[in-house]
Amino acid sequence: MSVDASTGTGTGAGVDGTDASGTDVDSTGVSGAGVSGVGMGTATLFRELVDDAGLFPPTGLPMAEALERHRNDLAGNDPVLTHRFLCPAGRLGELRDHVTFPIRLGLILDTPDLPPLEDVAVELVEVRQAPGETPGAVWERLAGRLPGDARLFVEVSAGDHASLASLASLTSLPRDGEGPGLKFRCGGLTAGAFPGAADLGALIAHCARHGVPFKATAGLHNAVRHFDPALGVDRHGFLNLVLAVCAAVEDRDPVPVLKLTDVGELVRLAQAVPDDTSARARELLVSYGSCDTHTPIEDLVALGLIARRPPAPAGTAPHATTAGTTGTTGTTGTTGTGTTVTDTATTGRAAHGMAAPGTTEENM
């Protein structure tokens, strides 16, 4: 689907591997000619953005089902996905019992110590800092024991200025993966688990200022910030997050972008991001974990920021969806400004950032 930068209206991409104008869709999932305003900078923004957190709530798939969905996603090879499977350290034995294909892992360290990892490909290790522990102390404790080239990400709370100050004193070299990264939550099961835009923006600005890579998790089910009446809180959008990082690397305040709910304006901002800004932003924002690997792609397609990819070849398992996600052919939705957006395979929910029915939170 393409969205006109001036009106926010759009038309659906063809499902035969071409966009609405007949232009071939390339391997990045973006056709620069056929999707209005989409270029290499936009493609870079969303490439390898979403980690697979299917084991975690609210989806909470059993191990066998989570691995089967991950296998299907690998077959689909969508470039928005990192194709990295997030797994708690305490469930590695269960994973080993079920996995039947090569898999790349993000390890959530929920055990007192690192388990044996010789037989698994671990790319990231994510750990919560203990009470009173700084990210620097976690780095010193674990750095020499990380498997292979695995990168360490230490979870801190947005607004934890003491932890951020301690990390700022470290030499951080994100381009070659040295030094710890940060991880922070953007939501949870209660309204209190959602950081305000000011706290989240301060964390992003800190990481941009000091060159600290980071990951995000929880609450980023949809592209655009929106109000959740069930919790009485504004949910952050992953598109807002990505564009806030772009603002920060350009030495602009990320908070106004985090607060933005105008869908058309967010699309225009995304289409206008320079290539260099996109690259620098994604050096900082490594990825975010989502228990749903389908909705982020559908949201970006609905907003015209990526092209719909051609269907998987005959005999290939289809791209799996999670409970509570609907995909209806020919649905018309409305943006936050009242502009109609039509897409051939997604609901209006995606266009204006409403959470899928039945999703309550949360992932690691």
Side-chain angles (χ1 to χ4, degrees):
M1 187 199 79
S2 64
V3 174
D4 182 78
S6 62
T7 66
T9 58
T11 57
V15 295
D16 60 352
T18 63
D19 65 19
S21 66
T23 304
D24 290 337
V25 177
D26 67 18
S27 61
T28 68
V30 173
S31 95
V35 179
S36 176
V38 172
M40 288 307 296
T42 309
T44 300
L45 279 180
F46 308 117
R47 185 177 292 117
E48 298 184 5
L49 178 65
V50 181
D51 286 333
D52 185 346
L55 290 176
F56 300 97
T59 300
L61 296 173
M63 181 65 74
E65 292 182 29
L67 288 171
E68 179 63 13
R69 189 188 74 174
H70 190 73
R71 186 186 67 81
N72 291 343
D73 286 346
L74 285 170
N77 197 32
D78 195 290
V80 172
L81 305 179
T82 66
H83 302 290
R84 184 164 46 230
F85 188 78
L86 302 183
C87 182
R91 297 186 67 178
L92 279 177
E94 186 182 359
L95 180 139
R96 290 182 174 104
D97 289 342
H98 286 87
V99 71
T100 59
F101 53 91
I103 193 167
R104 297 158 46 221
L105 296 181
L107 185 71
I108 312 299
L109 190 57
D110 62 344
T111 54
D113 209 345
L114 280 170
L117 300 170
E118 293 81 6
D119 60 335
V120 289
V122 176
E123 297 182 347
L124 308 176
V125 174
E126 305 175 22
V127 59
R128 291 187 183 185
Q129 64 188 63
E133 190 176 34
T134 65
V138 177
W139 170 248
E140 292 173 1
R141 174 164 58 88
L142 295 176
R145 301 159 56 202
L146 296 175
D149 296 326
R151 302 172 69 181
L152 177 67
F153 290 84
V154 182
E155 182 177 331
V156 299
S157 298
D160 188 348
H161 303 296
S163 289
L164 298 183
S166 72
L167 190 59
S169 65
L170 297 174
T171 300
S172 178
L173 302 172
R175 285 179 177 79
D176 60 15
E178 292 187 12
L182 293 182
K183 175 183 173 181
F184 53 91
R185 292 180 178 271
C186 297
L189 293 169
T190 64
F194 289 79
D199 282 339
L200 193 55
L203 187 67
I204 292 170
H206 170 92
C207 290
R209 187 164 53 250
H210 296 285
V212 179
F214 65 93
K215 293 188 79 246
T217 192
L220 298 169
H221 290 177
N222 288 98
V224 178
R225 179 183 178 91
H226 62 279
F227 182 72
D228 182 345
L231 290 177
V233 68
D234 288 315
R235 288 180 174 270
H236 297 288
F238 70 80
L239 178 57
N240 297 77
L241 177 67
V242 170
L243 293 176
V245 180
C246 291
V249 300
E250 292 181 341
D251 296 321
R252 294 185 286 112
D253 185 0
V255 175
V257 183
L258 289 171
K259 291 182 175 180
L260 194 58
T261 57
D262 185 323
V263 176
E265 179 64 15
L266 283 165
V267 169
R268 287 188 286 274
L269 287 173
Q271 291 171 338
V273 174
D275 293 355
D276 178 62
T277 297
S278 295
R280 287 189 293 145
R282 289 306 313 279
E283 283 181 354
L284 288 178
L285 176 55
V286 174
S287 59
Y288 78 91
S290 177
C291 58
D292 182 348
T293 55
H294 181 75
T295 298
I297 298 166
E298 290 299 310
D299 276 14
L300 291 173
V301 170
L303 294 172
L305 293 174
I306 62 172
R308 182 168 300 284
R309 289 173 59 78
T316 302
H319 191 75
T321 62
T322 58
T325 301
T326 55
T328 307
T329 301
T331 301
T332 300
T334 309
T335 69
T337 59
T339 304
T340 299
V341 177
T342 303
D343 183 65
T344 58
T346 190
T347 64
R349 164 191 57 75
H352 60 83
M354 294 304 296
T359 57
T360 54
E361 295 308 320
E362 206 45 49
N363 60 56
M364 292 292 284

